[in-house]
Amino acid sequence: MTVAKDRKALPAKLLSKLPAGSLRVLQISDTHLYADATERLAGLNTDQSLLQLLQHARNNILPVDLVLVTGDLVHDATASGYQRLRDHLLTLDAQTYCIPGNHDLNPVLADNINCNRISTDTLHKHENWAMIMLDSTIPGKVKGHLNNEQLGRLKSALDDHPEYNILISLHHQPVPLGSAWIDKLALDNPDDLFSILDQHNNVRGVLWGHAHQPYDGERNGVKLMGSPSTCIQFKPGQDEFGIHQSPPGLRWLALLPDGRIETDIEYRSNTPTELDLASTGY
Ligand SMILES: [Fe+2]
């Protein structure tokens, strides 16, 4: 089947007409919560921004089968930040997997986010799809790297699941975005990732966050998908850091039984008025 790319059609309508065996997924990225729920990032209250976007998802997208949270969960990596995020994510009522971003601290994240429906596990299988979650963080650094342990785990997971359609998630973008400052902070060894993917013909997509902007591309038949943040967006296509006047957003995906992926970005309908557009960093 073909799902119409009609921006006027609500994703919920599209997602309700999928063939049996399809998987409905929500990607949430770069929530940047703080210990203090009133804290702002570039003028925007990240807690309220996430809550409003989740309400938008509730009205327009849900229910989904799976939620993937792709890093920078808590800006100050605090236990209370993760606990509040956990409580917000539980309202989506779906199995949820979280991977770290450069702002996260793995032990604090794992200790405070794991519960009955939220997990830091790195593999999830549903019908004929397998999701592989990778940790691309380098402790103390902003840029990303897939170390030998992560690359070995990826290779083993792919070798073990040749009959599954594969969706891979990581925090850092593995492709240049044409914006010098964020390209310097990308995954620094994308060739190691792609050389493994090239040895398998069942990888269907790669998902990331980090760049706070959407990206939709393709490489050797694999969909490459970057997603906006649930709070501030970075101005695309310019070499210096800048805040883009774009609403918070998330990505929905429909994973079809034949291996195809239907996907689009869904933005909150109104642009936040409190954004500090003169902000020079985050
Ligand atoms: Fe981020």
Side-chain angles (χ1 to χ4, degrees), residues 57 98 141 208 224 279:
C98 297
K141 294 252 169 74
W208 64 82
L224 303 179
S279 179

Side-chain angles (χ1 to χ4, degrees), residues 30 32 72 102-103 171 210 212 234 282:
D30 295 83
H32 287 270
D72 280 2
N102 47 289
H103 280 275
H171 180 64
H210 187 52
H212 292 224
F234 300 150
Y282 81 114

Side-chain angles (χ1 to χ4, degrees), residues 71-74 77-79 82-83 85 98-101 104-114 118-120:
D72 280 2
L73 279 59
V74 173
T78 50
Y82 289 115
Q83 290 162 11
L85 178 63
C98 297
I99 58 172
D104 295 302
L105 283 177
N106 267 330
V108 191
L109 191 165
D111 285 351
N112 291 283
I113 208 120
N114 279 287
I118 304 181
S119 171
T120 52

Side-chain angles (χ1 to χ4, degrees), residues 55-69:
Q55 186 56 45
H56 182 92
R58 216 166 274 121
N59 294 339
N60 298 291
I61 300 173
L62 298 186
V64 294
D65 306 296
L66 183 70
V67 177
L68 298 171
V69 189

Side-chain angles (χ1 to χ4, degrees), residues 175-243:
V175 292
L177 303 176
S179 186
W181 79 273
I182 196 80
D183 285 344
K184 274 188 210 141
L185 305 174
L187 187 75
D188 74 359
N189 59 336
D191 292 348
D192 290 340
L193 169 67
F194 289 129
S195 70
I196 293 173
L197 303 194
D198 287 345
Q199 292 164 32
H200 299 81
N201 60 10
N202 57 329
V203 180
R204 308 301 180 206
V206 180
L207 274 184
W208 64 82
H210 187 52
H212 292 224
Q213 58 196 277
Y215 179 95
D216 283 279
E218 194 170 308
R219 181 189 175 279
N220 291 349
V222 178
K223 265 186 194 291
L224 303 179
M225 298 164 281
S227 296
S229 162
T230 64
C231 57
I232 58 167
Q233 315 304 342
F234 300 150
K235 219 169 197 175
Q238 70 173 37
D239 289 339
E240 307 297 326
F241 175 91
I243 301 289

